[in-house]
Amino acid sequence: MPALVHQFDWPDRVVVGTVGPPGSRSFYLQVRDGARSTSVGLEKEQSAVLAEKIDEILDALMADEGNRFSVPAATPAELVDDDPLDQPVEEQFRAGLMRLGWDPTTAQVIVEAFPLEEAAEEEAEPAEPSEALVVRMPVGTARAFVDRTRLVVRSGRPACPICGGPVDDDGHVCGAPAS
């Protein structure tokens, strides 16, 4: 077990947000419960995959005829969170390994994040992570998390209509082959 576990069983807020302008944004998974808050650094791709996989869990629960949980198909209006990240954003660690789970006893999606650890070359066994973030969120909160995260990921630089690459404010060198 990691030496330090930041555990949030019924958080007041769990969101992905960014700091910085499009093109140089830093992504964070931020969780708050009362006055206690933790921010974990993510890559943009990690954020997108996290939302996708949580959405798959929720959709699978909705499709299961034996499911006794009421899983919303859309974000409940009272759970929409468009606010910026809580300030100051202080990165606890940068996430490497992440795991997802489902707890049917509490009807919560579980997200676990572990630090990106640089393994020593001579070590045969990976080292135990030094810390972890464990977040348990109810299905409505999880649906809101998915929708917000997808919006945050899409809100970066616009895509080039020819090559699909990002277009910066100072221009774009298109990598598409000439026709």
Side-chain angles (χ1 to χ4, degrees):
M1 192 70 173
L4 178 59
V5 178
H6 309 276
Q7 183 144 347
F8 294 85
D9 291 333
W10 294 95
D12 297 331
R13 184 177 199 219
V14 54
V15 296
V16 165
T18 61
V19 173
S24 59
R25 298 183 298 168
S26 295
F27 284 74
Y28 295 94
L29 170 58
Q30 189 176 73
V31 189
R32 180 185 67 216
D33 186 16
R36 189 170 65 104
S37 178
T38 299
S39 298
V40 172
L42 297 175
E43 295 297 323
K44 179 179 180 178
E45 294 77 17
Q46 281 177 303
S47 303
V49 170
L50 181 60
E52 176 186 333
K53 296 303 179 186
I54 290 174
D55 195 40
E56 287 176 11
I57 289 171
L58 297 172
D59 288 348
L61 288 167
M62 286 178 54
D64 182 3
E65 290 183 22
N67 176 29
R68 64 184 200 274
F69 307 105
S70 177
V71 179
T75 298
E78 67 274 11
L79 296 177
V80 172
D81 184 344
D82 295 328
D83 293 337
L85 292 173
D86 295 337
Q87 297 296 322
V89 177
E90 296 176 4
E91 183 176 295
Q92 190 66 41
F93 61 83
R94 179 143 296 277
L97 174 70
M98 297 184 79
R99 294 190 299 216
L100 290 176
W102 168 250
D103 184 348
T105 62
T106 60
Q108 290 178 305
V109 174
I110 303 165
V111 177
E112 297 177 337
F114 302 92
L116 182 62
E117 303 276 348
E118 296 297 325
E121 295 278 334
E122 60 276 356
E123 286 185 40
E125 293 291 319
E128 183 71 23
S130 57
E131 59 186 313
L133 172 67
V134 178
V135 181
R136 303 170 65 86
M137 60 181 120
V139 292
T141 302
R143 188 64 79 188
F145 177 87
V146 167
D147 289 346
R148 177 191 167 110
T149 300
R150 286 181 169 158
L151 182 65
V152 167
V153 168
R154 286 193 310 262
S155 68
R157 296 173 288 177
C160 171
I162 298 169
C163 71
V167 177
D168 292 317
D169 289 339
D170 59 350
H172 171 70
V173 177
C174 190
S179 308

